[in-house]
Amino acid sequence: MVVFTSEAYWVSCYHSISDPAARAEYAKLAGPALRAAGGRYLAVANPAKVYEAGIDLPVVVIEFDSVAQAIAAHDSPAYQAALAALGNTSVVRDMRIVEGVDG
């Protein structure tokens, strides 16, 4: 039986980056916004190894105290400003918020 913890994890996997400058501007704004909302960065890097359909582009993992806190961080005006810096086509990625599990 899976027992969920209260922690939540924000996982972003990049698929393409066509405008590195836009991504850098996003990161400059997103980091402080997400830390201010209680996020703790656990990983920000290209994969050490990819398997299956994995793509060798950055992966970001951020821990929050709860799913509600992670959602609030995403919906905050500060993070929305960071997203606006990406524009419409500079980055393709998928982003998920998942609950942690005990053990």
Side-chain angles (χ1 to χ4, degrees), residues 32-94:
L34 296 174
R35 284 185 192 94
R40 296 173 296 283
Y41 280 78
L42 302 180
V44 180
N46 280 35
K49 178 75 176 158
V50 296
Y51 292 99
E52 299 172 22
I55 299 170
D56 192 15
L57 284 171
V59 175
V60 178
V61 180
I62 307 168
E63 181 180 48
F64 288 88
D65 290 337
S66 68
V67 168
Q69 185 183 42
I71 292 169
H74 179 274
D75 296 346
S76 72
Y79 184 71
Q80 292 301 305
L83 281 178
L86 286 176
N88 291 328
T89 60
S90 64
V91 170
V92 176
R93 66 185 182 153
D94 65 78

